[in-house]
Amino acid sequence: MSAVAQARPLAGFRIRPRPRTTELGLLAIVAVTLVVGAASLGATQQLREATEAGVTLKALDFTPPDPQGLLVYLGALLAVHVAFVLAGRRTDQVLLPTAAMLGGIGLLLMQRLPQDLVTQSFGGTQLGLGQLQLAWLLVALTVVATLAIAVRSDAWLRTYKYTWAAAGIGLLLLVFVFGSESNGARLSLSIGPVSGQPSELLKVILVVFLAGYLSENRALLAEESTRIGPITLPPLPYLAPMVAMWAIALGIVVVQKDLGAALLFFAVFLGLLYIATGRPSYVVGGLILFVAGAFVLYNLFGHVHARVDNWLNPWADPQGAGFQVVQALYAFGRGGVLGVGLGAGLPLIGGHLPVPAVHTDYPLAAIGEELGLIGLLAVLGLYLVLVSRGLRIASAGHDEFRSLLAAGLALVIGVQAFIIAAGNLKLIPLTGITLPFISYGGSSLLANALVVGLLLALSDRGAEPPPAPRDRRRRFRGFRLGKVRA
Amino acid sequence: MDGFVIILWLVRLGFLLLIYGFLFAVARVLMRDLRAASRGPTELGRLVVLASPRGEPQPGASYPLDAVTHLGRDVNNGIVLDDPFASAEHAVLTYRGRNWYVEDLSSTNGTFVNGVPVEGLGPLGFGDEVQVGEIRFRLDRGRG
């Protein structure tokens, strides 16, 4: 067995720096872009204040609203880059700058919004929206760097997939029992002073489990079929997890009233099933289940009914239920093609924001108003880059588990961005999920940091090979039973 | 005041242009990457030798696989196995549709996938281990 050790040398933790020029170049563009954006934001805000006060400015002052905050963010990006260089892994060089650009645009947006929208005090110091978002971004960058540098083997994910699934379901049950309701949805879980939205974490766990399950049963799912008369169906025993998944999604809608998470989970599940098997019949079957489930939910549950009616005709009650939807559409309209400029959007109406949930559910409305259609398309393009990069990593994966994991992680970001963007634009009913990397919120930023960190770790071209397969004991027994010489 | 507005407008446009500059730079990186990936013939898979006590095949060697690759002790096989437990024509790896299969050619001592004996034809996934006698292989994705 000594040859085993020879063929699979353990990766040591030597420091062997490897330059990452592409990443550095892209990060430089990100830095310049964010500085210019912050300057335009600062100048716009000061111009508006002067106009409101009736003062004529002598010169334009391009000082950003929070220059230290921006510098800290850019410094942290550089630190992560240096850490990657020192670690010397041959990981992807596009993911970090793209996520950093989205995070930076989100940071500018949070610094631009009224700072008292969300406040939290730590030991006497009051932190506003922008500072809180910055703090969470720093934590998220730490998570990305840790995962991308430290995760060298995926055995801890692939071996314990059922444990992960159990943990995920446990988390879900905790929310069912102890969760607190906000905006009519039971989403957040408070443990002492820390509160979070477990469904964000759950999406990562779901992808890990699905990648493990599908990579193990892929051949069966892709080849076998059950024949009932003239109809050929996928193998029935292997349909059970699909139905279970559908039931869980329904459960989330009914108990948590969280339409967005349910939609995200089910879409990612169908996407991964299709990637693993290449059989359109699964997708068709899943869509039929989805339509049936949606129809029943619409007729049985008030909150689903309200959401859909609000989507079909928000002008039925423009001051009440439809207020946010209508105001967001107005915001997109005000923005036009080029936008009104960062910081020049509509001010408060009677002391209230026109779109109350602009920092969590509707950041795209703010981007559409202040950066216009052009800016909106650029942001969507950034998500497209993340997804295409993730799928590229998936197609270059060493084995099925890694490929499916990378594809699933890419899908999570893409589908989530699509659901909330389409909801903001009134293409589908609005569901309360966050816009990855841009929306305010610690849970969302951390979960998406996990996604990017794992993608980076999976993209390592010099990574150690996949671990030896499952059943060691059986292999040894088979070996000893070896019969006589041929 | 109008001068200020024009300067401010230019700065705002500059911000938007820079975001697109970033997207353009990224697109160039992606294109370069895709072109590098499309160069060279694509392999269907690779067989990596994990353990081979007698040194034939060499431990650590990796063989690019054709759609049909024969394994066995006979020199006419695609991959020759020097192992007392291997038959002359031991097993064959085939790529059909989108999947790899391993077929045991009625060998005396059998072929094992992840420690489980193959009966006739069995599916083989990337990352799976194939064992013939004391020689162990792993099926990997092809490079490029």
Side-chain angles (χ1 to χ4, degrees):
Chain A
M1 283 282 122
S2 63
V4 182
Q6 232 176 56
R8 213 183 292 149
L10 273 173
F13 286 88
R14 301 176 297 269
I15 288 190
R16 191 188 289 163
R18 193 189 298 272
R20 297 161 71 87
T21 46
T22 312
E23 190 176 76
L24 189 62
L26 289 176
L27 279 177
I29 304 180
V30 171
V32 173
T33 310
L34 292 182
V35 167
V36 170
S40 106
L41 172 58
T44 309
Q45 282 182 337
Q46 274 148 16
L47 199 63
R48 163 184 277 167
E49 274 166 25
T51 319
E52 276 170 4
V55 187
T56 314
L57 282 180
K58 289 190 184 68
L60 263 186
D61 182 6
F62 282 105
T63 318
D66 185 7
Q68 291 93 352
L70 188 64
L71 277 183
V72 168
Y73 181 62
L74 295 180
L77 288 180
L78 189 65
V80 173
H81 169 74
V82 169
F84 283 0
V85 168
L86 287 182
R89 296 187 70 182
R90 286 189 291 169
T91 51
D92 192 277
Q93 304 198 26
V94 175
L95 281 174
L96 176 70
T98 312
M101 181 67 112
L102 286 168
I105 293 175
L107 183 63
L108 288 184
L109 209 62
M110 296 310 141
Q111 291 179 344
R112 172 253 176 276
L113 290 171
Q115 293 300 300
D116 52 1
L117 209 55
V118 179
T119 53
Q120 214 162 350
S121 45
F122 287 102
T125 42
Q126 187 90 352
L127 291 181
L129 184 60
Q131 287 150 320
L132 282 172
Q133 179 78 348
L134 177 65
W136 282 119
L137 276 172
L138 295 184
V139 177
L141 281 177
T142 317
V143 170
V144 169
T146 314
L147 283 178
I149 292 171
V151 175
R152 278 165 196 271
S153 151
D154 52 24
W156 58 290
L157 287 174
R158 103 170 52 208
T159 318
Y160 303 112
K161 55 181 174 297
Y162 291 109
T163 315
W164 288 110
I169 290 174
L171 208 58
L172 207 60
L173 288 178
L174 272 181
V175 184
F176 282 178
V177 180
F178 300 109
S180 53
E181 290 204 12
S182 69
N183 299 333
R186 187 188 284 263
L187 292 175
S188 37
L189 190 65
S190 302
I191 304 164
V194 186
S195 76
Q197 296 199 356
S199 67
E200 290 282 348
L201 191 61
L202 210 53
K203 71 187 186 194
V204 185
I205 294 177
L206 175 83
V207 168
V208 170
F209 167 69
L210 283 177
Y213 180 83
L214 289 173
S215 66
E216 209 158 75
N217 300 301
R218 193 186 81 89
L220 280 167
L221 285 164
E223 294 304 315
E224 311 264 313
S225 51
T226 313
R227 210 171 268 277
I228 303 173
I231 318 159
T232 313
L233 285 173
L236 286 179
Y238 299 97
L239 272 183
M242 179 154 162
V243 177
M245 190 61 224
W246 178 69
I248 288 175
L250 282 187
I252 293 172
V253 176
V254 174
V255 183
Q256 282 197 320
K257 302 181 180 172
D258 188 355
L259 298 173
L263 194 56
L264 173 66
F265 291 175
F266 201 64
V268 167
F269 170 68
L270 280 187
L272 267 184
L273 200 58
Y274 179 69
I275 291 172
T277 61
R279 288 174 68 159
S281 58
Y282 283 121
V283 180
V284 174
L287 286 179
I288 291 171
L289 274 180
F290 170 75
V291 171
F295 183 76
V296 170
L297 287 177
Y298 175 75
N299 284 313
L300 282 185
F301 292 96
H303 62 280
V304 183
H305 203 103
R307 283 285 169 92
V308 175
D309 285 351
N310 209 4
W311 164 60
L312 287 173
N313 187 10
W315 282 275
D317 187 9
Q319 293 300 320
F323 184 67
Q324 244 188 155
V325 181
V326 170
Q327 291 299 329
L329 288 178
Y330 285 162
F332 283 118
R334 273 195 302 277
V337 173
L338 282 178
V340 293
L342 260 186
L346 196 65
L348 308 178
I349 301 175
H352 294 289
L353 282 169
V355 185
V358 67
H359 60 303
T360 54
D361 292 355
Y362 272 105
L364 267 187
I367 290 172
E369 179 178 7
E370 307 206 329
L371 301 179
L373 176 67
I374 299 276
L376 204 61
L377 289 177
V379 168
L380 295 183
L382 290 172
Y383 286 114
L384 214 56
V385 168
L386 284 183
V387 174
S388 77
R389 230 26 219 175
L391 293 180
R392 181 85 190 83
I393 292 168
S395 74
H398 280 290
D399 68 335
E400 270 148 22
F401 176 74
R402 287 188 187 196
S403 292
L404 284 171
L405 186 58
L409 293 173
L411 273 181
V412 158
I413 293 185
V415 170
Q416 187 171 349
F418 172 79
I419 289 176
I420 191 62
N424 280 190
L425 289 161
K426 206 172 92 67
L427 192 66
I428 61 171
L430 179 77
T431 54
I433 56 174
T434 55
L435 189 61
F437 304 108
I438 291 186
S439 280
Y440 168 78
S443 318
S444 164
L445 282 176
L446 286 187
N448 292 312
L450 280 179
V451 170
V452 170
L454 280 177
L455 274 179
L456 276 167
L458 287 172
S459 70
D460 190 355
R461 277 176 294 150
E464 71 185 67
R470 292 64 81 169
D471 208 339
R472 243 165 220 287
R473 211 185 48 221
R474 280 180 75 181
R475 164 150 28 93
F476 286 139
R477 198 174 57 201
F479 188 58
R480 276 199 216 100
L481 284 178
K483 295 165 214 162
V484 278
R485 199 188 148 127
Chain B
M1 205 66 184
D2 278 347
F4 291 173
V5 173
I6 290 171
I7 293 172
L8 197 51
W9 196 71
L10 287 176
V11 173
R12 285 172 187 162
L13 269 189
F15 177 53
L16 289 176
L17 281 178
L18 277 166
I19 301 183
Y20 276 92
F22 177 80
L23 278 175
F24 181 70
V26 167
R28 270 186 47 185
V29 173
L30 296 187
M31 285 306 293
R32 206 170 56 202
D33 195 55
L34 281 179
R35 234 174 263 137
S38 66
R39 243 180 271 131
T42 46
E43 294 168 6
L44 299 173
R46 283 185 97 86
L47 207 57
V48 180
V49 184
L50 298 178
S52 170
R54 288 169 171 249
E56 175 63 39
Q58 282 279 318
S62 80
Y63 296 92
L65 293 176
D66 299 327
V68 178
T69 307
H70 287 267
L71 310 177
R73 207 151 41 83
D74 195 281
V75 287
N76 289 325
N77 286 292
I79 298 174
V80 179
L81 312 171
D82 179 17
D83 191 286
F85 292 99
S87 299
E89 287 171 0
H90 197 103
V92 61
L93 298 176
T94 48
Y95 187 79
R96 293 180 210 166
R98 298 174 61 222
N99 296 300
W100 275 102
Y101 296 88
V102 58
E103 187 177 358
D104 186 66
L105 301 173
S106 311
S107 65
T108 313
N109 292 308
T111 308
F112 297 84
V113 172
N114 300 336
V116 182
V118 178
E119 283 159 21
L121 188 72
L124 192 62
F126 292 114
D128 281 351
E129 276 193 22
V130 179
Q131 183 167 5
V132 173
E134 290 181 296
I135 304 176
R136 295 195 296 114
F137 299 99
R138 188 185 65 238
L139 181 70
D140 275 5
R141 263 177 218 286
R143 287 179 197 152

